[in-house]
Amino acid sequence: MTIDWRYTVHDGLGVLSVAGHLGPEAVRRFGGAVGWALTRGTGPVVVDLTELRGWSAEGQLAIADAARRLAEAGRALELAAIPADGSLVPAGDGPPVPVHVDRAAALAAHRSGRRAERGEERQEWRTTGWPADGPRPSGGRTGGSE
């Protein structure tokens, strides 16, 4: 089993939503999604795990590696809606990884103290297997590179 992902940029914040199981087979695909986020955004990246069914130790290490990759680029990684088993990304010598209870809380944390810029185009990229969740935002884009 692997993952599907969607990356959305709006108001200077990237949201990388992940669906499926982040196990050993999905680590490379997740790394590709992080690379996609690195090249298409500039601000912090919230990894939204709402649709994630679970993760392995390798998946958790992939999250920690993503946090390091983003930190090297001067960006932060945050988590939203960690899997129900309560496990967290391993602590270690990597950058801190804030954890939000859900996507709404993560977005609210970034909205406080800053005004949304009017006229900013929202952009979206996703794998072809990403679950359909209604109409695409206007001005959005979809792509399919992993």
Side-chain angles (χ1 to χ4, degrees):
M1 185 185 294
T2 189
I3 59 165
D4 284 300
W5 58 266
R6 175 182 65 199
Y7 181 65
T8 308
V9 177
H10 50 92
D11 296 334
L13 176 67
V15 178
L16 177 60
S17 300
V18 181
H21 185 269
L22 186 51
E25 314 82 33
V27 167
R28 182 175 165 188
R29 191 169 198 179
F30 178 75
V34 172
W36 195 266
L38 276 165
T39 61
R40 286 166 180 79
T42 57
V45 175
V46 173
V47 178
D48 176 14
L49 303 173
T50 302
E51 299 295 325
L52 195 70
R53 289 187 291 258
W55 54 6
S56 66
E58 294 88 351
Q60 291 179 28
L61 290 172
I63 297 275
D65 181 60
R68 280 190 287 281
R69 287 175 65 193
L70 285 160
E72 288 170 4
R75 298 173 68 189
L77 180 135
E78 301 177 18
L79 296 178
I82 62 170
D85 67 5
S87 59
L88 295 172
V89 174
D93 59 352
V97 178
V99 177
H100 303 278
V101 67
D102 58 22
R103 178 186 170 127
L107 294 176
H110 286 278
R111 275 190 221 112
S112 66
R114 121 180 147 185
R115 237 180 26 186
E117 295 178 26
R118 292 193 185 274
E120 182 173 337
E121 182 178 308
R122 178 177 160 178
Q123 297 181 323
E124 178 180 290
W125 298 267
R126 61 186 171 160
T127 57
T128 55
W130 180 257
D133 58 11
R136 267 191 10 214
S138 74
R141 298 180 190 157
T142 59
S145 196
E146 288 105 87

